Amino acid sequence: MSQTDGPVDRRDVLKLVGAGGIAGLAGCAGGGGGGSSEFPELGNYPVEGDEVVFGFNVPQSGSYSQEGADELNGYNLAMDHLNNGGGWVDGVDALSGDGILDKTVTSVEGDTATDADQARQEAQRMINRDDAIMVTGGSSSAVAIAVQELCQEEKVMFMACLTHSNDTTGSACVRYSFREMFNAYMTGQALAPVLSDEYGSDLNFYQLYADYTWGSTVQSSMQQFLEAEGWTQTNSVATPLGTSDYSSFLADVPRDETDALLLVHYGLDAANSLPQAIEAGLDEDLEVIVPLYNRLMANAARESIDGIFGTADWNWQLENDATQSFVEAFRNEYDKVPSYAARLAYSQTLQYAAAVERAETFYPPEVIRALEDHTYSGFGLGEETMRACDHQAQHDVLVVRGLPEGEQTEDQLLNVVGQTARGDIGYACDAGPASECELGSYGDE
C-alpha cells in the first residue's frame, strides 16, 4: 500500500477500486495508530509508515506575512516538542513527547499569500500529494474559511489558527474545523463596555473596515455592542485588503460629527492605517480604536499606539505558569517573545495531537468527537471548552492598550488592562454566530 507523489496518488486508486476495495485496503493497514479494520479508509486515513504529516499553510508573502512567519515558529516548536518532549507537551497527560501514536510528526509548508484561492490550492497539494492527515493555518479569515471548506470535502481535519471572523464558526462552520481563537462577536462584548467606561456612553463613531469577511463581521459586532452602550454609528466604509495609502478614506471622516474612529484593519494594513490616522491629526479631534491588535502590527506602528484600545487573544506578559513556560521555550528557541499567533499555532497543533491520543486513532470522525465539548486548561488562558455545537472555543478575552513610546521596550508594547472572563462573554448555541452554524457530516454516518 505505498503512496506515490506522481500524477496518480492513493486517492485516485481508491476511486478506481470502489467501495468494496476500500474496505479491503483498510483491513490491511493494521495497527491502532495508522489504521485498523475497525475503521474504513477516509480522507488520508489510515496513516502508513513511521511518520505522520501535518500541513502548515500560512501567509509567507502578502499583507499578513509577518504573522505567518511567527505562526511557523509556533508550529515548528510544537512539532519538535511532540517528537522530543518539552514545553506544554510535558504537562498534557495524553501526550508522550515521543511522536503521536508511535509515529514521528513531520510537516509540509505552504504560502497562502493571504489569498483564499492560493491557500486552497496549497492545502489541496498537501492533502493529495503529501498525504497530510491534518492541515492548519490562517491569518486571513477568508483563507481559513476557504481551507476549512476544502478540508470538509476531503475529510481531512483543519485546525484553524488565526481567524477572527464570526463566520468561521458561524455561517461558514464545518464539522472538520475547530477554532481556539476568539471571534469578532466576543471582541465587541469585551471591548464595548471598556470604551464606554473610558469615553462615555453617548458618542458618535465612524468605522473604516477591511473589505472581507473578517472586517465586515468586526464592523457589525462593534456596531451592535457599542450601540448597546448608547453609542451611535454615523457611517462605516469598506477599504480594500492590502491598501497602503488610507489618506482619502481618512480625509472623508467628518471630524465635527465624530467622537471615535474605529480602524478595523490588521497586520500590515493596520500598520499603515493607524500611523496615517495619527499623522493626519485625527487623534487630536477624536478617539482612535483598533478592535483587534497583534504584536507585530503594534511593533510596526509603535510610534502611533499610545493609548489606543483593542483586544488580543493572548499576551506573553500574563502571569500564569502555562504562559511563562511557553514564553521560556519559545524564547530559548527563537531568542524573542512569541506573538499570540505563535501561541495559537502551537496550541492548535497540540490540541489535535492530544485528541488523536485520546481517540487512540487518526480516524478523523473519532478525533473530532474527542475534541467536541472537551474542556482543558494549561494553554495560557485558564479553563477553556471546545464547544461541540459550533467548534468555537470558549475562553477569556484580553483588552489591551498601547503603551506610550517612552515606556515601550523591545518586547513590551501593549498593556493588558483587562481580562474578560469567559462567563461574561460568549453566546448560547442558538444565539449569536452559532445560530447560523450547521456543522455537516462526520463522514462515517
Side-chain angles (χ1 to χ4, degrees), residues 299-312:
N299 184 56
R302 60 192 310 152
E303 296 178 359
S304 305
I305 64 173
D306 180 9
I308 306 295
F309 279 103
T311 59

Side-chain angles (χ1 to χ4, degrees), residues 289-304:
I289 298 152
V290 177
L292 182 65
Y293 260 113
N294 72 328
R295 183 174 171 274
L296 299 170
M297 164 265 170
N299 184 56
R302 60 192 310 152
E303 296 178 359
S304 305

Side-chain angles (χ1 to χ4, degrees), residues 209-228:
Y209 66 94
D211 191 13
Y212 72 109
T213 178
W214 171 71
S216 63
T217 63
V218 176
Q219 182 276 326
S220 62
S221 293
M222 291 307 302
Q223 179 179 0
Q224 175 181 348
F225 290 105
L226 284 174
E227 289 183 344

Side-chain angles (χ1 to χ4, degrees), residues 241-323:
L241 183 65
T243 296
S244 58
D245 183 357
Y246 289 89
S247 58
S248 61
F249 297 105
L250 295 168
D252 288 339
V253 177
R255 301 189 188 206
D256 293 342
E257 304 169 14
T258 306
D259 300 304
L261 170 64
L262 276 65
L263 297 175
V264 185
H265 301 130
Y266 196 76
L268 292 179
D269 289 0
N272 285 322
S273 68
L274 178 57
Q276 289 171 26
I278 303 302
E279 289 168 8
L282 284 165
D283 60 321
E284 299 172 5
D285 299 320
L286 43 83
E287 307 299 341
V288 179
I289 298 152
V290 177
L292 182 65
Y293 260 113
N294 72 328
R295 183 174 171 274
L296 299 170
M297 164 265 170
N299 184 56
R302 60 192 310 152
E303 296 178 359
S304 305
I305 64 173
D306 180 9
I308 306 295
F309 279 103
T311 59
D313 185 74
W314 171 84
N315 187 283
W316 71 271
Q317 301 166 61
L318 293 178
E319 295 180 357
N320 59 67
D321 291 343
T323 288

